[in-house]
Amino acid sequence: MSEEYNPLRKRQRAEDTPDFQRRVSAASLSAIINPDPPETLAPSLGTSPLFQPHQGSPPADTRPLSLSRMEQNVFGPRPAEDIVRIVADFMYTHLKNRTGSIEIEGKLGRLVDKRSGLRINLPVGCETVYTDDKNIRFESNMTVQQHAMFNKLLNQRVDETRRPEFRGSRIEYKHTKEIDHFYRVDGTRMRVTTDKESGQVLAVITKTKIADLNILSPRTKLDIRITINEENTVERPDMDANKPILVRHKDRLSYKQDLWSFDLTQVVSPEHELGPVNPYAIGPPKTSPAVTTHELELEVAQPGVWLAEREKVALNKPNSFHEITHTFLGNLRALAKRAI
């Protein structure tokens, strides 16, 4: 049985068991299984073994109603939202035994039915975790108008966090231009990232998918996909002996706040040949046309912090795992709700 995340991690003691549960005796259980015959009158509510009145009469609360001290619910703490709990369970499960080479990110886009090519449409009125991903794909592309709107909103937040009266975490802004070259060497796909201006190699990695989670958001223009990948640094391939199978030019605006990096990216994939060139083929080789996409991703800039909090949960120590999950999902939901 897989280990499940429990934000409370508190073993219930016998004295903590609700009164109505502890009062179901063997006699009352027998009454449930073997009810009285029809000719016997059923006991009244006050004498039924299933309904025991509270013993004693506590003094009446004569204080006036105060909304500020209103209980979160009759049992105490407010229950976690189902969608937050599902995301927390997802993160807890797939971050087990992972290292700092993990990439965690949330993407905005559209969940599309592969058969119709249309956005998924379910008879639901709120955010829903979509568990059947056999016939869907996630399109992380958005319109130019949406991209420009997010650029404007995030620039405004940078200005707002720099005001003297602002007391929260400031947002740092960075503009980068990079080129990704993808190679397939001995069956392994690897990515070489270089600075577009200087040509300096910034990273050479392989990426392995661990898991993803799709969230349909029918009340907004964009859906959400949360992904966890493992990234490993590898040796740079021989650039002369290997031809890239794909090239991507990335013009990226990164807005960093606390653990998060909001990455707004325009990606241009130039026209490229499809597969190896056949020297005996007649006519020009088949090519894929140039494609431009506009993406918005929320990446966890310090995944080690989340991993450390996950370990505290496993050890039954005080932790901020649920708060990090709630903030991560909250940022994604706030972005989706602002999409035009």
Side-chain angles (χ1 to χ4, degrees):
M1 183 179 294
S2 61
E3 188 177 10
E4 184 181 3
Y5 162 63
N6 184 345
L8 298 180
R9 288 280 182 178
K10 183 177 180 182
R11 180 177 295 176
Q12 190 178 47
R13 299 171 298 175
E15 58 267 33
D16 294 332
T17 306
D19 185 65
F20 73 90
Q21 291 183 8
R22 289 188 278 119
R23 289 179 178 273
V24 179
S25 61
S28 62
L29 182 61
S30 175
I32 297 173
I33 300 175
N34 303 303
D36 292 332
E39 62 271 19
T40 303
L41 293 177
S44 66
L45 183 63
T47 60
S48 169
L50 297 180
F51 298 95
Q52 294 292 335
H54 183 274
Q55 301 300 320
S57 300
D61 188 351
T62 58
R63 296 174 299 176
L65 175 64
S66 173
L67 297 181
S68 62
R69 71 165 185 270
M70 183 169 58
E71 295 290 343
Q72 296 183 9
N73 70 72
V74 69
F75 299 109
R78 179 181 290 116
E81 294 181 66
D82 280 350
I83 193 167
V84 177
R85 178 59 187 266
I86 289 175
V87 174
D89 286 345
F90 171 81
M91 302 304 298
Y92 185 81
T93 298
H94 296 290
L95 292 183
K96 184 178 181 180
N97 299 327
R98 303 297 176 182
T99 65
S101 60
I102 288 296
E103 177 195 57
I104 306 170
E105 61 184 9
K107 303 179 181 182
L108 294 183
R110 298 191 315 148
L111 287 171
V112 174
D113 189 317
K114 292 179 181 179
R115 297 159 294 189
S116 66
L118 301 176
R119 185 184 181 191
I120 296 294
N121 183 19
L122 298 180
V124 295
C126 61
E127 295 161 327
T128 302
V129 174
Y130 198 86
T131 56
D132 181 10
D133 57 359
K134 294 180 181 178
N135 294 310
I136 67 168
R137 66 174 183 270
F138 186 83
E139 294 183 352
S140 58
N141 189 23
M142 63 178 61
T143 66
V144 176
Q145 293 76 14
Q146 289 172 331
H147 208 250
M149 182 271 301
F150 281 121
N151 184 203
K152 180 180 178 180
L153 288 176
L154 290 170
N155 284 340
Q156 287 176 350
R157 286 301 291 160
V158 172
D159 294 337
E160 291 167 359
T161 63
R162 289 179 177 176
R163 293 173 184 169
E165 65 272 16
F166 184 78
R167 294 293 180 265
S169 301
R170 293 194 173 188
I171 299 177
E172 302 297 329
Y173 164 87
K174 186 178 181 180
H175 188 184
T176 58
K177 293 184 179 181
E178 301 172 349
I179 303 178
D180 288 339
H181 291 84
F182 292 86
Y183 299 88
R184 191 172 296 281
V185 181
D186 297 330
T188 301
R189 181 184 171 102
M190 58 182 63
R191 186 185 77 195
V192 179
T193 302
T194 59
D195 182 272
K196 187 172 184 178
E197 302 299 330
S198 66
Q200 177 186 359
V201 176
L202 303 175
V204 183
I205 67 167
T206 61
K207 180 183 289 192
T208 304
K209 173 184 170 182
I210 295 175
D212 53 46
L213 184 73
N214 296 311
I215 301 175
L216 179 68
S217 182
R219 293 175 63 85
T220 66
K221 299 290 185 181
L222 298 174
D223 303 313
I224 297 169
R225 166 172 279 187
I226 297 172
T227 65
I228 304 177
N229 300 301
E230 185 174 18
E231 294 184 341
N232 293 303
T233 301
V234 295
E235 292 292 328
R236 180 179 175 180
D238 188 337
M239 310 289 281
D240 297 325
N242 296 280
K243 186 176 181 180
I245 57 176
L246 177 65
V247 178
R248 296 192 310 176
H249 295 256
K250 298 186 300 187
D251 189 348
R252 172 169 290 173
L253 304 172
S254 295
Y255 303 83
K256 292 188 177 180
Q257 184 183 47
D258 298 328
L259 300 179
W260 324 111
S261 179
F262 302 81
D263 297 332
L264 200 58
T265 311
Q266 176 178 277
V267 181
V268 178
S269 300
E271 182 181 43
H272 61 279
E273 296 176 357
L274 294 175
V277 177
N278 182 357
Y280 303 103
I282 300 176
K286 294 182 179 181
T287 61
S288 175
V291 177
T292 300
T293 59
H294 299 85
E295 303 173 358
L296 176 57
E297 300 170 343
L298 172 60
E299 183 169 355
V300 182
Q302 301 179 53
V305 174
W306 211 338
L307 291 170
E309 294 305 309
R310 191 259 178 223
E311 184 65 17
K312 292 178 185 178
V313 177
L315 296 175
N316 245 344
K317 294 182 178 180
N319 63 85
S320 299
F321 186 86
H322 187 81
E323 288 75 10
I324 293 176
T325 304
H326 201 290
T327 303
F328 177 64
L329 181 59
N331 274 315
L332 290 169
R333 297 162 99 181
L335 292 169
K337 290 181 186 301
R338 283 165 173 78
I340 56 176

